[in-house]
Short mmCIF file of all heavy atoms in Angstrom, two decimals:
data_model
loop_
_atom_site.label_atom_id
_atom_site.label_comp_id
_atom_site.label_asym_id
_atom_site.label_seq_id
_atom_site.Cartn_x
_atom_site.Cartn_y
_atom_site.Cartn_z
N THR K 146 -16.33 9.18 -27.31
CA THR K 146 -17.09 10.09 -28.16
C THR K 146 -16.16 11.22 -28.57
O THR K 146 -15.70 12.00 -27.73
CB THR K 146 -18.31 10.67 -27.43
OG1 THR K 146 -19.15 9.59 -27.00
CG2 THR K 146 -19.09 11.61 -28.33
N VAL K 147 -15.85 11.31 -29.86
CA VAL K 147 -14.84 12.24 -30.34
C VAL K 147 -15.38 13.66 -30.35
O VAL K 147 -16.50 13.92 -30.83
CB VAL K 147 -14.36 11.83 -31.74
CG1 VAL K 147 -13.32 12.82 -32.27
CG2 VAL K 147 -13.77 10.42 -31.70
N ASP K 148 -14.59 14.59 -29.81
CA ASP K 148 -14.95 16.01 -29.81
C ASP K 148 -14.96 16.52 -31.25
O ASP K 148 -13.93 16.54 -31.92
CB ASP K 148 -13.91 16.77 -28.98
CG ASP K 148 -14.23 18.25 -28.84
OD1 ASP K 148 -15.14 18.75 -29.54
OD2 ASP K 148 -13.56 18.91 -28.03
N PRO K 149 -16.12 16.93 -31.77
CA PRO K 149 -16.18 17.37 -33.17
C PRO K 149 -15.42 18.66 -33.44
O PRO K 149 -15.08 18.96 -34.59
CB PRO K 149 -17.69 17.55 -33.42
CG PRO K 149 -18.26 17.80 -32.07
CD PRO K 149 -17.44 17.01 -31.11
N ALA K 150 -15.13 19.42 -32.39
CA ALA K 150 -14.42 20.69 -32.57
C ALA K 150 -12.90 20.53 -32.55
O ALA K 150 -12.17 21.46 -32.88
CB ALA K 150 -14.85 21.69 -31.49
N ALA K 151 -12.42 19.35 -32.18
CA ALA K 151 -10.97 19.14 -32.06
C ALA K 151 -10.33 19.01 -33.44
O ALA K 151 -10.94 18.51 -34.39
CB ALA K 151 -10.69 17.89 -31.24
N THR K 152 -9.09 19.48 -33.54
CA THR K 152 -8.30 19.35 -34.77
C THR K 152 -6.90 18.90 -34.38
O THR K 152 -6.51 18.97 -33.20
CB THR K 152 -8.20 20.70 -35.50
OG1 THR K 152 -7.42 21.61 -34.71
CG2 THR K 152 -9.59 21.30 -35.74
N PRO K 153 -6.09 18.45 -35.35
CA PRO K 153 -4.70 18.08 -35.02
C PRO K 153 -3.92 19.23 -34.41
O PRO K 153 -3.02 19.02 -33.58
CB PRO K 153 -4.13 17.67 -36.38
CG PRO K 153 -5.31 17.21 -37.17
CD PRO K 153 -6.44 18.10 -36.74
N GLN K 154 -4.24 20.45 -34.80
CA GLN K 154 -3.54 21.62 -34.27
C GLN K 154 -4.12 22.06 -32.92
O GLN K 154 -3.43 22.71 -32.12
CB GLN K 154 -3.60 22.79 -35.26
CG GLN K 154 -2.88 22.55 -36.58
CD GLN K 154 -3.61 21.59 -37.50
OE1 GLN K 154 -4.85 21.53 -37.50
NE2 GLN K 154 -2.86 20.84 -38.28
N ALA K 155 -5.37 21.73 -32.66
CA ALA K 155 -6.03 22.13 -31.41
C ALA K 155 -6.79 20.93 -30.84
O ALA K 155 -7.99 20.77 -31.08
CB ALA K 155 -6.99 23.30 -31.66
N PRO K 156 -6.08 20.06 -30.10
CA PRO K 156 -6.74 18.87 -29.53
C PRO K 156 -7.85 19.25 -28.56
O PRO K 156 -7.93 20.38 -28.07
CB PRO K 156 -5.59 18.17 -28.78
CG PRO K 156 -4.34 18.70 -29.40
CD PRO K 156 -4.66 20.11 -29.80
N SER K 157 -8.72 18.32 -28.29
CA SER K 157 -9.88 18.55 -27.44
C SER K 157 -9.47 19.04 -26.06
O SER K 157 -8.60 18.46 -25.40
CB SER K 157 -10.69 17.26 -27.30
OG SER K 157 -11.78 17.45 -26.42
N SER K 158 -10.11 20.14 -25.61
CA SER K 158 -9.92 20.65 -24.26
C SER K 158 -11.26 21.03 -23.63
O SER K 158 -11.32 21.77 -22.66
CB SER K 158 -8.98 21.85 -24.26
OG SER K 158 -9.49 22.90 -25.08
N ASP K 159 -12.33 20.53 -24.21
CA ASP K 159 -13.69 20.75 -23.72
C ASP K 159 -14.00 19.68 -22.67
O ASP K 159 -13.97 18.48 -22.99
CB ASP K 159 -14.66 20.66 -24.89
CG ASP K 159 -16.11 20.91 -24.49
OD1 ASP K 159 -16.41 20.94 -23.29
OD2 ASP K 159 -16.95 21.05 -25.41
N PRO K 160 -14.32 20.05 -21.43
CA PRO K 160 -14.60 19.05 -20.39
C PRO K 160 -15.73 18.09 -20.74
O PRO K 160 -15.82 17.01 -20.15
CB PRO K 160 -14.95 19.90 -19.17
CG PRO K 160 -14.32 21.22 -19.43
CD PRO K 160 -14.38 21.42 -20.91
N ALA K 161 -16.58 18.47 -21.69
CA ALA K 161 -17.65 17.57 -22.10
C ALA K 161 -17.09 16.33 -22.81
O ALA K 161 -17.75 15.28 -22.85
CB ALA K 161 -18.63 18.29 -23.02
N TYR K 162 -15.89 16.46 -23.37
CA TYR K 162 -15.24 15.35 -24.08
C TYR K 162 -13.92 14.94 -23.42
O TYR K 162 -13.60 13.75 -23.38
CB TYR K 162 -14.98 15.74 -25.55
CG TYR K 162 -16.25 16.04 -26.31
CD1 TYR K 162 -16.72 17.35 -26.41
CD2 TYR K 162 -16.96 15.03 -26.93
CE1 TYR K 162 -17.89 17.63 -27.11
CE2 TYR K 162 -18.14 15.32 -27.64
CZ TYR K 162 -18.59 16.61 -27.71
OH TYR K 162 -19.75 16.89 -28.41
N ALA K 163 -13.15 15.93 -22.97
CA ALA K 163 -11.87 15.66 -22.32
C ALA K 163 -12.11 15.46 -20.83
O ALA K 163 -11.99 16.39 -20.02
CB ALA K 163 -10.89 16.80 -22.56
N ASN K 164 -12.49 14.25 -20.47
CA ASN K 164 -12.79 13.91 -19.08
C ASN K 164 -12.49 12.42 -18.87
O ASN K 164 -12.38 11.66 -19.84
CB ASN K 164 -14.25 14.24 -18.74
CG ASN K 164 -15.24 13.45 -19.55
OD1 ASN K 164 -15.35 12.23 -19.43
ND2 ASN K 164 -16.00 14.14 -20.42
N PRO K 165 -12.36 11.97 -17.62
CA PRO K 165 -11.94 10.58 -17.36
C PRO K 165 -13.01 9.54 -17.63
O PRO K 165 -12.71 8.34 -17.54
CB PRO K 165 -11.55 10.61 -15.88
CG PRO K 165 -12.29 11.75 -15.30
CD PRO K 165 -12.38 12.78 -16.39
N GLN K 166 -14.23 9.95 -17.98
CA GLN K 166 -15.25 8.98 -18.40
C GLN K 166 -15.24 8.75 -19.91
O GLN K 166 -15.66 7.70 -20.39
CB GLN K 166 -16.65 9.46 -17.97
CG GLN K 166 -16.90 9.41 -16.48
CD GLN K 166 -16.24 10.55 -15.74
OE1 GLN K 166 -16.33 11.71 -16.16
NE2 GLN K 166 -15.56 10.24 -14.64
N ASN K 167 -14.73 9.74 -20.65
CA ASN K 167 -14.69 9.64 -22.12
C ASN K 167 -13.30 9.32 -22.65
O ASN K 167 -13.15 8.95 -23.81
CB ASN K 167 -15.19 10.97 -22.73
CG ASN K 167 -15.50 10.85 -24.21
OD1 ASN K 167 -16.18 9.92 -24.65
ND2 ASN K 167 -15.01 11.80 -24.99
N GLU K 168 -12.29 9.48 -21.81
CA GLU K 168 -10.90 9.15 -22.14
C GLU K 168 -10.36 8.21 -21.07
O GLU K 168 -11.04 7.93 -20.07
CB GLU K 168 -10.04 10.42 -22.20
CG GLU K 168 -10.52 11.46 -23.21
CD GLU K 168 -9.63 12.69 -23.26
OE1 GLU K 168 -8.75 12.84 -22.37
OE2 GLU K 168 -9.81 13.51 -24.17
N ILE K 169 -9.14 7.73 -21.27
CA ILE K 169 -8.46 6.93 -20.24
C ILE K 169 -7.43 7.80 -19.56
O ILE K 169 -6.45 8.23 -20.18
CB ILE K 169 -7.78 5.69 -20.86
CG1 ILE K 169 -8.80 4.76 -21.49
CG2 ILE K 169 -6.97 4.95 -19.79
CD1 ILE K 169 -9.76 4.12 -20.51
N TRP K 170 -7.67 8.11 -18.27
CA TRP K 170 -6.72 8.86 -17.45
C TRP K 170 -6.21 7.96 -16.34
O TRP K 170 -7.00 7.33 -15.62
CB TRP K 170 -7.38 10.09 -16.83
CG TRP K 170 -7.85 11.14 -17.79
CD1 TRP K 170 -7.86 11.09 -19.16
CD2 TRP K 170 -8.40 12.43 -17.45
NE1 TRP K 170 -8.37 12.25 -19.69
CE2 TRP K 170 -8.72 13.09 -18.66
CE3 TRP K 170 -8.65 13.08 -16.24
CZ2 TRP K 170 -9.27 14.37 -18.71
CZ3 TRP K 170 -9.22 14.36 -16.27
CH2 TRP K 170 -9.51 15.00 -17.49
N LEU K 171 -4.89 7.91 -16.17
CA LEU K 171 -4.26 7.09 -15.14
C LEU K 171 -3.19 7.93 -14.42
O LEU K 171 -2.02 7.58 -14.41
CB LEU K 171 -3.63 5.84 -15.74
CG LEU K 171 -4.60 4.76 -16.24
CD1 LEU K 171 -3.90 3.82 -17.21
CD2 LEU K 171 -5.18 3.97 -15.07
N ASP K 172 -3.59 9.05 -13.83
CA ASP K 172 -2.63 9.91 -13.13
C ASP K 172 -2.03 9.16 -11.94
O ASP K 172 -2.72 8.43 -11.22
CB ASP K 172 -3.31 11.19 -12.65
CG ASP K 172 -3.64 12.13 -13.80
OD1 ASP K 172 -3.40 11.76 -14.96
OD2 ASP K 172 -4.15 13.23 -13.52
N ILE K 173 -0.73 9.36 -11.70
CA ILE K 173 -0.02 8.68 -10.62
C ILE K 173 0.90 9.64 -9.89
O ILE K 173 1.27 10.70 -10.41
CB ILE K 173 0.83 7.49 -11.15
CG1 ILE K 173 1.82 7.97 -12.24
CG2 ILE K 173 -0.06 6.38 -11.69
CD1 ILE K 173 2.79 6.88 -12.73
N THR K 174 1.27 9.27 -8.67
CA THR K 174 2.33 9.92 -7.90
C THR K 174 3.26 8.82 -7.41
O THR K 174 2.82 7.88 -6.73
CB THR K 174 1.77 10.71 -6.71
OG1 THR K 174 0.87 11.73 -7.19
CG2 THR K 174 2.89 11.36 -5.91
N THR K 175 4.52 8.89 -7.78
CA THR K 175 5.46 7.82 -7.43
C THR K 175 5.85 7.89 -5.95
O THR K 175 5.85 8.94 -5.32
CB THR K 175 6.72 7.90 -8.29
OG1 THR K 175 7.28 9.22 -8.21
CG2 THR K 175 6.41 7.59 -9.75
N ASP K 176 6.25 6.73 -5.42
CA ASP K 176 6.74 6.66 -4.05
C ASP K 176 8.25 6.95 -4.04
O ASP K 176 8.84 7.24 -5.09
CB ASP K 176 6.41 5.29 -3.44
CG ASP K 176 7.11 4.13 -4.14
OD1 ASP K 176 8.10 4.35 -4.89
OD2 ASP K 176 6.69 2.98 -3.93
N PRO K 177 8.93 6.88 -2.87
CA PRO K 177 10.36 7.18 -2.84
C PRO K 177 11.22 6.28 -3.72
O PRO K 177 12.35 6.63 -4.07
CB PRO K 177 10.71 7.01 -1.36
CG PRO K 177 9.45 7.34 -0.63
CD PRO K 177 8.36 6.78 -1.50
N GLY K 178 10.70 5.12 -4.10
CA GLY K 178 11.44 4.23 -4.99
C GLY K 178 11.11 4.43 -6.46
O GLY K 178 11.64 3.73 -7.32
N GLY K 179 10.23 5.40 -6.75
CA GLY K 179 9.86 5.65 -8.14
C GLY K 179 8.79 4.72 -8.67
O GLY K 179 8.62 4.61 -9.89
N ASN K 180 8.05 4.07 -7.77
CA ASN K 180 7.03 3.11 -8.18
C ASN K 180 5.63 3.68 -7.98
O ASN K 180 5.41 4.54 -7.11
CB ASN K 180 7.18 1.82 -7.36
CG ASN K 180 8.59 1.27 -7.40
OD1 ASN K 180 9.20 1.22 -8.47
ND2 ASN K 180 9.12 0.89 -6.25
#
Side-chain angles (χ1 to χ4, degrees):
T146 301
V147 178
D148 183 349
T152 68
Q154 295 73 32
S157 177
S158 59
D159 181 348
Y162 299 93
N164 63 66
Q166 290 77 47
N167 194 47
E168 301 181 349
I169 297 294
W170 295 6
L171 289 161
D172 288 3
I173 55 175
T174 299
T175 53
D176 64 17
N180 308 315

